Amino acid sequence: LLVMLALVACGDVAPPAAATPTFAVDTNRITVSGVSSGAMMATHMHVALSGLVRGSAMIAGGPYYCAEGGLKKGLGPCMKGGDVGLSALVDYAKSSAASGAIDDIANLSDDPVWLFSGKNDAVMHTDVTIAASTFYSELAGTTPVLVDDVAAPHGFPTLYSGASCTSMAEPFLNACNYDAAGELLRALYGELQPRGEATADMLEISQPQAGDATMLPTALAYVPAACRDGETCGIHIAFHGCQQSTAFVGDVFARKAGYNEWAETNNLIILYPQVDSSKIAPLNPMGCWDWWGYTGDEYATRAGEQIVVVKSMLDALAGTPL
């Protein structure tokens, strides 16, 4: 014990993470959303864990498994538009479900899906987001909501937080007088109570086995007062985009994107997982979520390393395997 304490004091061993607090979780109210690479991560998690995740929302995202394990296709038609090979993506999802690598596709049939493509997005072509809509329709017969009439750049649109609505700059929140967080949460949960004041402190949540998944040691979570007091609450997972983790912008995305104000009045815990950046293998200097396979071939399945970490956090928050 004395040796361990000495090593910790010298900085050679990180101190143990605080235990994750547990809450009464409504498993019928677990949903995901994300922006850019986070949007790709959201659809991967939704399709892979459709027995648990009940809906998804994507800002500047594309169809499930679009890159097919390769960065070349990811940077090509999966961002610039063109033929993304939709039939192959649908077939991959079907075969993955048949083998048990992802959950039963039938779970998706009644899940809400909300998609957003900014009119001034110069990074992710609208055709790619439309392909995501078509993917859900062909795979599961769902009819996603597509919003493509807001003059927003590549980023997360807010009412008033972040850069101007005409620029793409850190923290990649854009004050477009458009409450994307509120719109997507309404699409996923139906009618909500009006947004309130986000008065609770942000919690740090351990990300188990984060290093193996190229993730940061801790995530952030916003837990409303009612949830802390024992009321049953849903969980919404919000995936940041590239260069938007705590390593790049601190807690700005978690505090300013607009989710927490809706969470406070609607019994929702908001979980903000955090991915790391890497300048060597795997090459990921911008801290993007794995949507092209840098963590391994199973990245879009239940066994995907980043999906496993996020699922572990959900289990920890609920105090039981979900």
Side-chain angles (χ1 to χ4, degrees):
L1 177 61
L2 290 174
V3 171
M4 176 175 280
L5 289 173
L7 289 173
V8 170
C10 293
D12 293 328
V13 176
T20 299
T22 59
F23 304 95
V25 174
D26 183 350
T27 56
N28 291 314
R29 299 182 72 220
I30 297 176
T31 60
V32 294
S33 67
V35 55
S36 192
S37 72
M40 298 294 199
M41 186 66 186
T43 191
H44 285 169
M45 188 151 188
H46 182 211
V47 174
L49 296 178
S50 61
L52 178 64
V53 178
R54 304 305 178 95
S56 64
M58 290 166 279
I59 295 173
Y64 174 79
Y65 198 59
C66 188
E68 296 187 85
L71 189 55
K72 182 178 180 180
K73 187 186 176 196
L75 295 176
C78 291
M79 292 181 67
K80 298 176 182 177
D83 184 6
V84 299
L86 202 59
S87 61
L89 305 182
V90 171
D91 288 344
Y92 175 81
K94 289 180 177 178
S95 64
S96 295
S99 70
I102 66 173
D103 287 355
D104 190 343
I105 288 167
N107 295 325
L108 298 167
S109 62
D110 58 355
D111 285 357
V113 177
W114 184 90
L115 307 170
F116 179 95
S117 176
K119 289 177 65 176
N120 297 329
D121 191 331
V123 175
M124 184 67 70
H125 198 284
T126 301
D127 286 351
V128 184
T129 304
I130 292 173
S133 178
T134 305
F135 170 85
Y136 272 103
S137 297
E138 293 189 2
L139 181 70
T142 59
T143 305
V145 173
L146 174 61
V147 178
D148 60 1
D149 59 353
V150 178
H154 190 73
F156 194 99
T158 71
L159 285 173
Y160 44 75
S161 297
S164 75
C165 198
T166 60
S167 65
M168 180 180 156
E170 283 193 5
F172 305 105
L173 300 175
N174 293 97
C176 294
N177 195 32
Y178 183 81
D179 187 4
E183 293 297 327
L184 70 86
L185 289 174
R186 274 195 292 266
L188 297 177
Y189 291 104
E191 192 63 34
L192 298 176
Q193 295 298 316
R195 67 200 302 268
E197 294 292 327
T199 56
D201 293 332
M202 204 74 69
L203 299 181
E204 284 197 352
I205 303 295
S206 175
Q207 298 196 137
Q209 306 300 315
D212 295 339
T214 319
M215 294 172 67
L216 294 168
T218 57
L220 297 175
Y222 184 84
V223 182
C227 306
R228 297 183 189 223
D229 290 342
E231 292 192 24
T232 301
C233 292
I235 300 179
H236 180 76
I237 306 157
F239 290 106
H240 63 74
C242 301
Q243 294 182 284
Q244 210 174 30
S245 73
T246 52
F248 286 92
V249 301
D251 64 357
V252 173
F253 178 75
R255 286 191 302 106
K256 298 292 188 180
Y259 291 99
N260 304 337
E261 289 76 9
W262 291 98
E264 186 64 45
T265 52
N266 289 280
N267 284 25
L268 282 175
I269 296 168
I270 310 294
L271 176 63
Y272 298 96
Q274 302 293 316
V275 74
D276 202 356
S277 61
S278 174
K279 294 181 174 61
I280 55 175
L283 184 62
N284 181 30
M286 297 172 68
C288 302
W289 290 99
D290 184 11
W291 62 280
W292 66 87
Y294 68 74
T295 60
D297 294 340
E298 298 177 310
Y299 69 99
T301 72
R302 284 197 308 237
E305 291 184 350
Q306 293 179 352
I307 291 176
V308 168
V309 172
V310 178
K311 170 60 164 55
S312 296
M313 285 191 283
L314 292 176
D315 293 344
L317 288 167
T320 186
L322 298 176

